[in-house]
């Protein structure tokens, strides 16, 4: 009790000093008095008194904002020294309530919320942790370092993905522009700022910009995997592949390049997929994994691919993916791969045939007539292909029906070409005639 009494008396005397300094407008003196009070409580391990004093000091009339900032920053150093988790949570909540609504301690409040969310997550309360993190909109914090902002938003995205809140995860991920990762920090001009508007340095535990780039794309892969958006997953892996630290290490880029190849084959045929497919085939590193080079070659070559032969060749590689970076390709991947090969084969047939019987088409695709019709219809509906099926005759027509303007234009072009040929012929005949006349005169 004596220790407690002496602590109370010391605090009382320091509170009087703090009052005098505050009323005199002495910033340095007020900060020192407030910090000394907190230090006394910490050294005495009086955690309840510490929480009470933080609240009392912050609510005193005309309290200086510099004193509140110094007090919150000082108290944050004590969080890791707390004896148990309950005391730690209580201290974080006290500091959180003190800093709420105060723009000059918004960064400290964001860091406190992040620590509290981590504790909640460790306790298995992921939904509560995600709700806590979403209270803070760090993108509006001018004084927070860019890397810390990105790391905070990525943590918000991760918690939303953990609780399977994909809509909110997408909204939060859009707060980060992928272009921010391509900026060169060394070339960024540091603007001279006054003491009030100074951008704080990011804490030591915040990853670098390139590490954050990888984390961002790993989170986006998780998001796109939910909807089986294979092309977007492929683009995410492509961005990871472009990171210098990944490109320099074969143990890192080989699994990533394998994933790029698989997801390219799994993606529906469109201009973006074709562009990525060609650029990947030109990559010299692909020669290190020749199996996948032959897979992409088969997909890009306009020839019918036999599904059974392809699956027998690549089945082992396909199943090995679950032991590599990023895990398996998804539950539906094998079915989708067969679907893409069928679509590729239909596109090949449409290039070589103007008209073909449904029976022959089914034979080429190694499917039944009903399955061939279904896949063809799906492609026509998705506008990947133009075709008409005459079901009574059992004939598929891949030619597009031209309108009257199109037919007239083609006739006009044919006539123009014919007249050009006639003119060239007349010119040649005239030239030959002139040459022979000259020869006779001589």
């Amino acid at each position: 009790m004596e220790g407690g009494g002496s602590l109370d008396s010391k605090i009382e005397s320091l509170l009087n000093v703090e009052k005098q300094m505050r009323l005199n407008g002495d910033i340095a003196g007020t900060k020192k008095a407030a910090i000394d009070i907190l230090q006394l409580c910490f050294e005495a391990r009086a955690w309840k008194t510490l929480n009470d004093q933080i609240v009392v000091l912050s609510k005193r009339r005309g309290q200086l904002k510099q004193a509140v900032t110094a007090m919150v920053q000082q108290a944050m150093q004590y969080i890791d020294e707390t004896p148990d988790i309950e005391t730690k949570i209580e201290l974080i909540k006290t500091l959180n309530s003190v800093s709420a609504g105060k723009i000059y301690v918004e960064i400290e409040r964001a860091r406190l919320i992040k620590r509290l969310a981590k504790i909640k997550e460790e306790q298995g309360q992921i939904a509560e942790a995600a709700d806590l993190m979403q209270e803070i909109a760090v993108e509006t914090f001018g004084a927070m370092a860019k890397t810390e902002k990105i790391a905070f938003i990525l943590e918000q995205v991760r918690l939303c993905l953990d609780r399977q809140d994909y809509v909110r995860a997408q909204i939060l991920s859009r707060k980060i522009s992928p272009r921010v990762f391509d900026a060169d920090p060394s070339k960024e001009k540091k603007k001279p700022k006054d003491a009030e508007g100074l951008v704080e340095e990011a804490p030591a535990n915040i990853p670098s910009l390139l590490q954050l780039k990888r984390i961002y794309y790993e989170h986006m892969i998780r998001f796109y995997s939910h909807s089986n958006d294979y092309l977007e997953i492929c683009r995410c892996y492509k961005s990871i592949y472009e990171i210098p630290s990944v490109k320099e290490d074969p143990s890192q880029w080989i699994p990533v390049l394998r994933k790029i190849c698989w997801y390219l084959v799994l993606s529906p045929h469109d201009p973006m997929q074709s562009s990525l497919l060609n650029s990947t085939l030109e990559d010299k590193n692909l020669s290190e994994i020749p199996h996948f080079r032959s897979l992409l070659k088969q997909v890009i070559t306009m020839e019918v691919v036999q599904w059974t032969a392809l699956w027998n060749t690549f089945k082992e590689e396909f199943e090995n993916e679950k032991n590599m970076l990023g895990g398996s390709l998804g539950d539906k991947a094998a079915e989708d791969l067969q679907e893409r090969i069928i679509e590729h084969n239909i596109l090949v047939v449409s290039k070589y045939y103007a008209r073909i019987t449904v029976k022959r088409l089914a034979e080429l695709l190694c499917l039944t007539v009903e399955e061939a019709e279904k896949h063809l219809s799906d492609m026509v509906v998705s506008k990947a292909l133009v075709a008409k099926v005459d079901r009574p005759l059992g004939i598929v027509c891949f030619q597009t029906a031209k309108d009257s303007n199109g037919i007239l234009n083609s006739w006009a072009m044919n006539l123009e070409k014919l007249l050009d040929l006639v003119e060239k012929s007349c010119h040649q005949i005239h030239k030959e005639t002139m040459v022979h006349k000259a020869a006779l005169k001589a």
Side-chain angles (χ1 to χ4, degrees):
M1 288 297 288
E2 282 178 16
S6 65
L7 177 65
D8 288 344
S9 61
K10 284 177 187 174
I11 290 170
E12 196 61 47
S13 63
L14 279 168
L15 282 170
N16 291 329
V17 172
E18 185 270 338
K19 183 179 179 181
Q20 288 171 2
M21 297 292 181
R22 177 163 41 85
L23 295 175
N24 292 334
D26 185 345
I27 295 169
T30 311
K31 281 165 71 173
K32 190 177 184 313
I35 288 168
D36 286 347
I37 292 167
L38 301 190
Q39 189 65 30
L40 271 174
C41 298
F42 171 66
E43 285 168 2
R45 295 290 189 264
W47 299 104
K48 192 174 185 315
T49 312
L50 176 67
N51 290 338
D52 294 341
Q53 289 305 320
I54 291 167
V55 175
V56 167
L57 285 164
S58 67
K59 287 186 176 177
R60 300 198 91 175
R61 187 165 64 87
Q63 185 58 275
L64 302 169
K65 65 180 183 181
Q66 292 92 338
V68 175
T69 306
M71 192 170 64
V72 170
Q73 288 172 348
Q74 182 68 24
M76 281 175 74
Q77 296 173 20
Y78 304 148
I79 292 171
D80 291 326
E81 305 292 329
T82 48
D84 53 48
I85 199 80
E86 286 78 17
T87 312
K88 185 183 277 190
I89 291 170
E90 197 57 44
L91 179 56
I92 292 172
K93 283 183 174 175
T94 303
L95 290 169
N96 192 16
S97 65
V98 165
S99 56
K102 296 182 176 71
I103 200 164
Y104 48 88
V105 282
E106 62 186 4
I107 295 175
E108 284 77 11
R109 182 162 188 264
R111 289 170 184 166
L112 286 164
I113 290 286
K114 194 175 178 181
R115 292 183 81 161
L116 186 58
K118 187 142 190 71
I119 293 166
K120 293 282 184 193
E121 189 187 0
E122 284 166 2
Q123 292 175 344
Q125 301 171 355
I126 291 168
E128 282 185 37
D131 290 338
L132 274 170
M133 288 291 279
Q134 280 157 39
E135 289 175 17
I136 310 294
V138 288
E139 63 275 11
T140 62
F141 293 5
M144 188 182 263
K146 182 167 74 174
T147 49
E148 192 176 358
K149 275 186 198 177
I150 295 167
F152 196 94
I153 295 168
L154 288 176
E155 192 65 13
Q156 291 176 322
V157 173
R158 184 184 66 80
L159 286 166
C160 285
L161 289 171
D162 286 348
R163 75 187 289 197
Q164 298 182 344
D165 187 349
Y166 295 101
V167 174
R168 195 167 269 114
Q170 187 181 27
I171 293 164
L172 290 165
S173 69
R174 283 178 179 163
K175 291 180 180 180
I176 301 172
S177 167
R179 284 196 300 274
V180 82
F181 299 116
D182 301 327
D184 188 350
S186 58
K187 289 181 184 173
E188 282 183 13
K189 291 181 181 175
K190 288 192 165 44
K191 293 178 185 175
K193 291 179 178 256
D194 57 1
E196 291 294 316
L198 193 68
V199 174
E200 285 195 19
E201 285 289 320
N205 62 345
I206 298 295
S208 67
L209 201 61
L210 287 172
Q211 289 171 321
L212 289 169
K213 179 179 181 177
R214 181 161 189 162
I215 295 165
Y216 168 77
Y217 284 112
E218 282 170 355
H219 288 344
M220 294 318 293
I221 287 165
R222 280 183 66 190
F223 171 74
Y224 290 122
S225 297
H226 168 67
S227 55
N228 289 329
D229 193 339
Y230 297 123
L231 186 60
E232 287 300 329
I233 296 171
C234 174
R235 289 176 70 191
C236 290
Y237 274 115
K238 192 85 173 165
S239 300
I240 292 172
Y241 180 68
E242 297 299 330
I243 298 170
S245 61
V246 174
K247 251 191 165 170
E248 289 162 10
D249 183 2
S251 67
Q252 289 193 52
W253 66 252
I254 287 176
V256 174
L257 192 55
R258 284 170 64 108
K259 283 284 193 289
I260 290 169
C261 295
W262 277 122
Y263 284 116
L264 269 174
V265 177
L266 285 164
S267 304
H269 181 79
D270 70 1
M272 173 70 79
Q273 187 253 11
S274 298
S275 170
L276 279 170
L277 198 58
N278 287 309
S279 65
T280 307
L281 267 169
E282 287 166 13
D283 193 331
K284 290 174 183 173
N285 286 339
L286 203 61
S287 58
E288 297 289 322
I289 43 174
H291 235 53
F292 287 87
R293 188 179 185 82
S294 69
L295 173 68
L296 295 188
K297 279 277 185 192
Q298 283 192 57
V299 174
I300 209 164
T301 308
M302 293 311 282
E303 290 179 10
V304 172
V305 178
Q306 293 294 327
W307 164 247
T308 47
L310 181 105
W311 183 241
N312 290 336
T313 310
F314 291 98
K315 187 179 180 182
E316 195 178 332
E317 294 284 0
F318 187 87
E319 288 170 352
N320 280 346
E321 285 301 318
K322 59 173 166 287
N323 305 320
M324 305 197 80
L325 173 111
S328 66
L329 299 167
D331 304 331
K332 280 180 78 246
E335 294 169 29
D336 288 335
L337 182 61
Q338 188 177 5
E339 186 93 14
R340 296 296 163 260
I341 297 301
I342 291 166
E343 286 176 9
H344 165 80
N345 290 343
I346 291 172
L347 284 169
V348 170
V349 170
S350 73
K351 287 275 187 297
Y352 289 112
Y353 288 87
R355 297 169 81 234
I356 188 172
T357 63
V358 179
K359 190 180 177 185
R360 176 66 181 140
L361 178 67
E363 280 174 22
L364 288 169
L365 299 177
C366 304
L367 299 171
T368 63
V369 172
E370 290 77 15
E371 285 173 335
E373 255 188 46
K374 180 188 174 295
H375 286 292
L376 183 65
S377 305
D378 290 342
M379 286 186 77
V380 171
V381 169
S382 63
K383 293 188 169 62
L385 186 74
V386 176
K388 285 186 177 179
V389 183
D390 187 336
R391 294 191 81 177
L393 292 174
I395 292 172
V396 181
C397 181
F398 291 111
Q399 285 179 322
T400 52
K402 288 182 181 176
D403 61 350
S404 53
N405 288 333
I407 294 165
L408 285 169
N409 286 338
S410 67
W411 286 355
M413 280 181 72
N414 291 340
L415 280 169
E416 199 175 324
K417 283 178 185 173
L418 180 65
L419 289 168
D420 279 346
L421 286 167
V422 169
E423 192 178 342
K424 279 179 185 173
S425 303
C426 290
H427 179 72
Q428 290 292 336
I429 293 163
H430 184 64
K431 183 180 167 186
E432 289 291 318
T433 308
M434 295 295 284
V435 168
H436 281 292
K437 274 183 182 176
L440 286 168
K441 281 178 184 177

